[in-house]
Amino acid sequence: MSAIQSDISDRVDVKSLQDKRELPLCVIAVIFSFAVYALLTYLAFSTAENAEMIGTANEIFEDLDVWEIMHMLLIRIGAFFVLAALVIVLIVTYLRIVRNVGEAVSCDIPVTDRQFPFLKERCAAYAKRLGLNYVPELYISEEGRAEVETSSVKFRSEYYIRLNCDHVRVAAEDEDFSPIDFMIASELAHIALHHRDVLWILLTVPARMVPFYQALMFRVMCYSADRVAAALVGTKEAIDAITVLSNDPDISAEFNREAYRSDIMEKKPWIDNAARIYYNFISDTPIPAYRITALLNSEKESDVLS
């Protein structure tokens, strides 16, 4: 991760573009997660009560019937197993992050001064405008997935951005890298807003296990990243990039962007609209129509379910 100077005049104020719902959602996630960790730890390892049970077992057994004793033991055993399961989830989550980074540095195409240098230059320029004092390592993924994945490993304090190879290939064929610029800018926005920090991910694991809460947080974070990326590349370019990246890159030659935007933005029958709202509600990323609407009305906050 190379260091850069960030003293420039066209700095983008990331905090001012952050969705106003993001901070409350994150605070709730942290408080809830800490409460879960603390409660489970207390129930599983309340040493003072355990010592009292061991030291004065006769008195306790005299005061409690067998069902109360079994109930107390089951609570502690259950709390211990739930806590152990959470620890396993934490380990698996961290190992998945390490695996993604390992896969990037082992199999992906690194973007360097000799390989796609213009992408590295754009990444450095955007990072500078966001006030970052480093440039994340940039890779072109060979997995063909239709999204960018950013992973970080805390002990190296480095971030990695993975670009989808299909989108890069189509951009090269069309000689139009504006969608790739948006992808890089969006992921840099996530990094600048600390969405990709390993500590944050691990601390909020309990909250992420609550049905629909993780999806809601991810959608709000996506709106924040879209706004920051639009400030970097331009609103029109951001909307155009969302349009392109929402579809299979292999149909790029026959793809009519204006017609697609018109189709997804037009008013739908109520049953179709209800289905769309539900699909968006359970998705980690807002549907293209909502993302475009949010950028067109950036001074307004998106609907809480969007």
Side-chain angles (χ1 to χ4, degrees):
M1 197 165 52
S2 57
I4 60 174
Q5 298 296 323
S6 59
D7 52 341
I8 59 174
S9 58
D10 58 344
R11 181 80 57 82
V12 173
D13 186 359
V14 175
K15 292 299 182 182
S16 67
L17 296 172
Q18 189 176 25
D19 193 297
K20 290 182 174 60
R21 296 167 300 166
E22 184 177 328
L23 182 58
L25 286 172
C26 292
V27 170
I28 292 172
V30 171
I31 293 175
F32 176 82
S33 298
F34 268 110
V36 170
Y37 286 134
L39 179 61
L40 291 176
T41 302
Y42 172 77
L43 292 176
F45 303 105
S46 51
T47 54
E49 292 185 16
N50 287 336
E52 183 181 354
M53 285 185 63
I54 296 174
T56 59
N58 291 335
E59 297 179 8
I60 291 177
F61 289 147
E62 289 177 1
D63 295 337
L64 300 176
D65 61 32
V66 64
W67 294 110
E68 291 176 319
I69 295 173
M70 288 180 62
H71 178 69
M72 183 167 51
L73 291 176
L74 285 174
I75 289 177
R76 293 189 177 178
I77 293 172
F80 177 81
F81 278 107
V82 172
L83 185 62
L86 271 177
V87 171
I88 293 174
V89 172
L90 289 174
I91 295 173
V92 170
T93 301
Y94 184 75
L95 290 179
R96 185 181 295 116
I97 294 172
V98 175
R99 174 194 175 277
N100 288 339
V101 173
E103 187 175 42
V105 300
S106 302
C107 305
D108 293 353
I109 302 171
V111 175
T112 65
D113 294 332
R114 298 179 300 173
Q115 196 91 266
F116 300 99
F118 58 94
L119 291 180
K120 183 177 180 180
E121 292 173 2
R122 292 174 185 179
C123 185
Y126 293 151
K128 186 182 295 186
R129 292 184 61 193
L130 291 177
L132 301 178
N133 58 0
Y134 53 81
V135 180
E137 300 292 333
L138 201 59
Y139 292 87
I140 299 176
S141 172
E142 294 184 336
E143 295 187 3
R145 287 178 289 185
E147 74 273 357
V148 182
E149 288 196 1
T150 303
S151 302
S152 59
V153 179
K154 186 176 179 55
F155 59 82
R156 292 189 61 194
S157 299
E158 294 193 2
Y159 291 92
Y160 302 81
I161 296 179
R162 306 179 71 186
L163 302 177
N164 176 271
C165 64
D166 292 333
H167 289 297
V168 174
R169 171 180 54 80
V170 172
E173 292 173 353
D174 295 344
E175 298 182 351
D176 179 13
F177 278 86
S178 55
I180 308 303
D181 290 345
F182 175 80
M183 294 169 74
I184 295 173
S186 178
E187 286 305 314
L188 284 171
H190 282 299
I191 291 173
L193 290 166
H194 305 290
H195 298 164
R196 308 300 191 186
D197 289 359
V198 172
L199 181 60
W200 155 254
I201 294 172
L202 297 180
L203 281 178
T204 56
V205 163
R208 293 167 184 265
M209 299 174 70
V210 176
F212 306 119
Y213 197 82
Q214 175 175 265
L216 176 58
M217 278 200 308
F218 281 2
R219 291 197 303 274
V220 172
M221 289 177 179
C222 182
Y223 286 125
S224 296
D226 282 351
R227 290 177 179 176
V228 175
L232 290 172
V233 304
T235 301
K236 180 180 181 300
E237 289 75 9
I239 291 174
D240 200 47
I242 291 172
T243 304
V244 173
L245 298 173
S246 300
N247 293 273
D248 189 337
D250 290 328
I251 66 171
S252 176
E254 295 80 19
F255 183 52
N256 187 320
R257 302 179 185 183
E258 293 297 333
Y260 172 75
R261 277 199 293 267
S262 176
D263 290 339
I264 65 173
M265 300 294 288
E266 70 178 9
K267 189 175 182 181
K268 306 288 185 182
W270 73 267
I271 188 65
D272 292 350
N273 196 47
R276 183 164 70 171
I277 292 173
Y278 172 73
Y279 174 76
N280 182 77
F281 179 71
I282 63 176
S283 300
D284 290 344
T285 303
I287 61 176
Y290 289 177
R291 295 177 70 182
I292 293 172
T293 301
L295 288 179
L296 291 174
N297 303 279
S298 58
E299 70 280 359
K300 301 177 182 178
E301 295 301 321
S302 304
D303 185 81
V304 70
L305 298 181
S306 63

